[in-house]
Amino acid sequence: MIIEIAELHIKAGEEAAFEGGVANAVPLFLRAKGCHGVELHQVIESPGIYRLVVRWETLENHMVDFRNSEDFQSWRALVAGTFAAPPAVTHERIVDLGPSV
């Protein structure tokens, strides 16, 4: 499982529009090959900063399959006007630390 984390800085006053755009885009993500879920997190200390967390089966499912799809273009059209800066995207994996205490 690959976890995409996109940090998104939103223009002041555009938070509701951004959240609405993400809500409208959820079906675009969920029908993408290898997508296992999407969440939106808002930073409490800086309300104009959000983190979009998407779980992908593989890195290629995000970077090739989704990024080259019409649904990716639709996603960007829904929210790009609210961005104060380009998104910063990273990919993570969960590290198995063994049994929990």
Side-chain angles (χ1 to χ4, degrees):
M1 183 74 56
I2 301 299
I3 302 165
E4 169 199 358
I5 300 178
E7 184 167 290
L8 305 155
H9 294 247
I10 305 305
K11 295 174 188 171
E14 293 290 320
E15 295 86 358
F18 171 71
E19 291 178 16
V22 174
N24 289 331
V26 167
L28 304 175
F29 284 96
L30 294 179
R31 71 180 176 214
K33 179 181 178 182
C35 182
H36 290 274
V38 59
E39 298 175 338
L40 184 63
H41 302 233
Q42 184 180 32
V43 176
I44 292 171
E45 295 83 1
S46 300
I49 300 175
Y50 291 80
R51 292 194 181 98
L52 182 71
V53 179
V54 186
R55 292 178 303 283
W56 298 99
E57 188 68 33
T58 68
L59 183 61
E60 292 76 23
N61 288 151
H62 175 228
M63 297 301 294
V64 177
D65 300 324
F66 185 62
R67 284 289 198 92
N68 291 319
S69 71
E70 289 183 25
D71 282 344
F72 177 77
Q73 299 304 320
S74 297
W75 146 245
R76 290 302 292 254
L78 285 167
V79 297
T82 65
F83 293 170
V89 179
T90 59
H91 297 91
E92 302 177 356
R93 66 179 180 85
I94 297 173
V95 177
D96 183 1
L97 299 175
S100 301
V101 179

